[in-house]
């Protein structure tokens, strides 16, 4: 239960930092990735000692929040969740969703920046070319 609560807290923290601009986004990315490594380590520790485990959906959720780079490193570093196919498929899907959403967000930002730098200009009378009106 601690892990699910921490993911929702990380999500709220990331939303608050997003308001701070690029520094906030970098800070949120850093925190999510550190938390991801901590969750993978904790889950591996609990697996070795027979304790309560971190739910797989929580670990996959870290990928969706942007912690996938650290997640892949942690999987290899701790030799954890590397062979379970169902987990890996879900983790890859969450990673793809995060990368896709980030790509769309970046494209949106670039589009908005381009509109500011070179705003669309309406053609003046007579500049329309040889278009005929029907």
């Amino acid at each position: 239960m601690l892990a699910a609560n921490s993911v929702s807290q990380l999500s709220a923290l990331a939303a608050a930092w997003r308001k701070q601009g690029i520094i906030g986004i970098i800070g949120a990315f850093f925190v999510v990735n550190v938390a991801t490594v901590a969750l993978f380590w904790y889950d591996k520790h609990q697996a070795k000692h027979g304790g309560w485990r971190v739910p797989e959906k929580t670990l996959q959720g870290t990928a969706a929040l942007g912690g996938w780079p650290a997640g892949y490193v942690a999987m290899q570093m701790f030799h954890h969740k590397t062979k379970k196919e169902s987990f890996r498929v879900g983790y890859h899907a969450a990673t793809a969703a995060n990368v896709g959403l980030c790509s769309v967000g970046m494209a949106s930002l670039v589009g908005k920046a381009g509109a500011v730098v070179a705003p669309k200009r309406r053609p003046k009378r007579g500049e329309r070319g040889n278009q005929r009106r029907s």
Side-chain angles (χ1 to χ4, degrees):
M1 199 56 142
L2 171 70
N5 189 26
S6 63
V7 169
S8 64
Q9 289 173 347
L10 283 174
S11 179
L13 186 61
W17 278 348
R18 193 170 39 244
K19 293 178 184 175
Q20 302 299 318
I22 190 71
I23 300 300
I25 292 171
I26 292 170
F29 182 76
F30 179 76
V31 169
V32 168
N33 278 272
V34 169
T36 299
V37 171
L39 284 172
F40 271 93
W41 173 85
Y42 180 76
D43 191 48
K44 180 67 174 188
H45 177 78
Q46 293 297 84
K48 283 182 176 179
H49 296 92
W52 289 96
R53 304 281 303 275
V54 176
E56 286 185 355
K57 293 217 183 273
T58 300
L59 295 173
Q60 292 167 342
T62 63
L65 288 173
W68 57 268
Y72 286 116
V73 169
M75 279 189 248
Q76 297 304 312
M77 195 165 58
F78 303 132
H79 304 286
H80 190 54
K81 299 286 188 186
T82 56
K83 293 184 180 179
K84 189 169 183 183
E85 188 70 25
S86 62
F87 175 80
R88 288 183 24 230
V89 167
Y91 204 80
H92 294 324
T95 299
N98 178 262
V99 170
L101 287 173
C102 288
S103 298
V104 167
M106 290 299 288
S108 173
L109 289 174
V110 168
K112 289 178 184 175
V116 171
V117 173
K120 289 185 179 178
R121 184 177 68 84
R122 290 187 176 189
K124 295 179 184 174
R125 274 195 179 172
E127 279 189 350
R128 299 182 103 177
N130 294 331
Q131 295 177 351
R132 294 184 181 190
R133 292 187 194 197
S134 301

